[in-house]
Amino acid sequence: MKAVRLESIGSMTMRNVENPVARPGELLVRVLAAGICGSDRHMYKGEYPTARPVTLGHEFCGIVEDVGDDVTGFAGGELVTVDPNIACGRCYACTRGRPNLCEGLIAIGVTRDGGFADYVAVPCAQAFTLPADLNPVHGAFCEPLACCLHAIDKAGIHPGDSVAILGGGVIGLLMVQLARLAGASEVILLTRQLTRRQTALHLGATHAFDPTASDAVAAVRDVTHGGADVVIECAGVPETMQTGLRMARRGGTFVLFGVTPAGVEVPVLPFDLLVNEIDIRPAYLNPFTHSRAAAMVASGALELDLLVTRTIGLEEVAGVVGSAPLPGEIKVIVRP
Ligand SMILES: [Zn+2]
Ligand SMILES: [Zn+2]
């Protein structure tokens, strides 16, 4: 079969490799759709640790082709989405109910072979069944959506709240929809690209601002009459950390979601954070949210087709992951 392998930092190649097999407790999944993620670009550049060589691709959906020994609940032929994060179940964090902080976390498409391939073997406990007639491209959104749901849980949005979202990529545009579904009365998206601002307004944002064109902090404080109840940072750059913290209302919540490259420091004003009691909540990965993400995707509650800006084959993956996103790009989907 074909698989796109990260062989060393900055080197990714499509290779012919042996088909994986479903070992005891595993499913063999034929990949129908896989999303390219900002994290894949971080991994390519060595900004996020991975195994090497490894087949990347942690956002995928496919058909169960074979079932290993000791598997219950799957017969073969099911459409499944896979939670890529495999917690050990025994470390301190796992035994305290926080598997995303597992000290021995293994991740499909990061530290073991993933979905930029014709087939991938996965532990059956990581797989969740989707309706057989669901568009597999929608199924590929379950993984990023599950991470967003963890952030939305942490955000604690109440009906009538104002929510500011920094970053207009696929995550920011999913957050816009989730904030509306959570009952936010004002949803403000901040992103530089006009097309993404237009998409956000179409998806239910009440305002969309270009942070480079005007004073974004003042604009958010103006439309929210003093600051957003909830700010969700989805861009992962120092500027959005700093401006996002200043957009929060006194007593507001700031959710840290974007991945800033390891080692980057950001100056903040602790006095302001203290006297305004800004509640800073990081949201990392997808603890116990993948099945809810699958249910939401299956329900059709989210507009996903608008987020797919390009569909490619395996032969184009290395080129896309190895270069910066094109202007207007939201989600690139791989169909092996
Ligand atoms: Zn991802
Ligand atoms: Zn653990």
Side-chain angles (χ1 to χ4, degrees):
M1 70 161 190
K2 291 187 167 37
V4 185
R5 310 276 287 162
L6 179 67
E7 303 193 313
S8 57
I9 291 170
S11 169
M12 225 177 143
T13 314
M14 188 176 77
R15 297 231 179 260
N16 280 308
V17 300
E18 276 189 39
N19 281 21
V21 292
R23 293 179 299 177
E26 289 187 345
L27 307 174
L28 181 69
V29 175
R30 178 162 57 90
V31 180
L32 296 180
I36 291 180
C37 170
S39 305
D40 294 316
R41 291 191 170 102
H42 283 300
M43 292 179 225
Y44 175 85
K45 291 192 271 188
E47 294 170 349
Y48 192 94
T50 67
R52 284 188 298 271
V54 70
T55 302
L56 295 187
H58 57 274
E59 306 179 354
F60 59 92
C61 170
I63 296 276
V64 177
E65 286 269 320
D66 193 19
V67 175
D69 292 339
D70 309 325
V71 170
T72 53
F74 294 92
E78 297 91 346
L79 183 70
V80 291
T81 167
V82 175
D83 173 0
N85 298 308
I86 307 168
C88 77
R90 295 182 308 275
C91 72
Y92 187 92
C94 281
T95 57
R96 301 296 169 105
R98 303 187 73 179
N100 55 326
L101 306 182
C102 173
E103 289 152 31
L105 196 75
I106 292 167
I108 300 166
V110 181
T111 59
R112 65 177 264 176
D113 288 340
F116 295 154
D118 293 314
Y119 295 93
V120 55
V122 305
C124 65
Q126 303 299 123
F128 297 83
T129 307
L130 292 168
D133 60 350
L134 186 84
N135 180 349
V137 172
H138 294 183
F141 279 89
C142 292
E143 197 279 339
L145 179 63
C147 296
C148 291
L149 286 179
H150 180 46
I152 291 291
D153 289 349
K154 286 225 164 177
I157 298 165
H158 297 98
D161 275 355
S162 54
V163 178
I165 296 160
L166 296 101
V170 67
I171 294 294
L173 294 171
L174 287 172
M175 294 287 196
V176 164
Q177 299 184 64
L178 293 171
R180 280 315 290 257
L181 290 168
S185 57
E186 242 131 17
V187 179
I188 305 143
L189 184 87
L190 297 111
T191 188
R192 283 176 294 187
Q193 288 186 32
L194 174 63
T195 54
R196 290 172 165 189
R197 293 198 299 277
Q198 289 167 334
T199 302
L201 292 170
H202 185 80
L203 294 174
T206 54
H207 303 79
F209 296 139
D210 177 357
T212 61
S214 58
D215 182 343
V217 175
V220 169
R221 297 191 81 89
D222 184 44
V223 298
T224 58
H225 309 290
D229 295 297
V230 173
V231 176
I232 308 177
E233 195 288 314
C234 309
V237 292
E239 299 75 50
T240 50
M241 280 284 301
Q242 293 177 304
T243 55
L245 285 167
R246 289 164 52 218
M247 285 171 190
R249 175 183 300 279
R250 295 198 81 186
T253 299
F254 175 91
V255 178
L256 173 57
F257 186 92
V259 180
T260 310
V264 171
E265 291 188 32
V266 181
V268 297
L269 301 171
F271 179 85
D272 292 9
L273 300 177
L274 173 70
V275 301
N276 293 313
E277 281 207 340
I278 304 302
D279 192 352
I280 300 176
R281 303 183 188 177
Y284 182 53
L285 303 180
N286 56 349
F288 305 117
T289 52
H290 202 94
S291 69
R292 286 164 55 205
M296 276 197 93
V297 167
S299 78
L302 298 168
E303 169 57 54
L304 300 173
D305 290 327
L306 266 183
L307 307 184
V308 178
T309 46
R310 204 171 153 204
T311 302
I312 63 172
L314 284 173
E315 65 285 354
E316 290 181 79
V317 172
V320 171
V321 173
S323 34
L326 297 173
E329 179 180 308
I330 302 174
K331 191 59 144 182
V332 179
I333 292 284
V334 183
R335 302 214 59 177

